[in-house]
Amino acid sequence: MLGLEGPCWVGLGPNGGFAVSEEFGDVRLFGSARQPLGSLGGLNGHAFGSPAGVCTDAEGSVIVADEQRRQVILFPRAESPICLVSEGLRRPLGVACVPQGQFVVADAGDSYIKVYQYHSELA
């Protein structure tokens, strides 16, 4: 993949594709045939601090841990971003989607794995 600016994390993306977070940049989406689909910031105007971990839930929404802003943001399909976590994170680096509307965050600031509940179908 050419043209990436400091790729940090790679995760599954919507529809069998993948997502790549770029250090101090954006999160780029690629289709199942590795074709560029755009970036989350470009698609909805969201400005990241330093996107780190990225995952996609069962509904195809992308979840991103922003290390610099100490947040976790949900990007539902064709909707505005929703901040899922804005307090209690020191240095969120990794995020993983797990069943039953939950996600886990690896917080390097305090060396904890934190589990959060959300309901993506309500987002």
Side-chain angles (χ1 to χ4, degrees), residues 32-83:
S32 59
R34 298 186 302 232
Q35 75 277 21
L37 300 176
S39 67
L40 289 177
L43 294 171
N44 61 41
H46 182 81
F48 290 98
S50 180
V54 58
C55 67
T56 301
D57 68 14
E59 286 80 29
S61 298
V62 178
I63 298 176
V64 179
D66 191 325
E67 179 184 2
Q68 184 179 30
R69 295 201 170 152
R70 299 178 182 170
Q71 297 178 333
V72 176
I73 305 103
L74 173 73
F75 293 87
R77 292 173 168 239
E79 295 181 35
S80 298
I82 299 166
C83 183

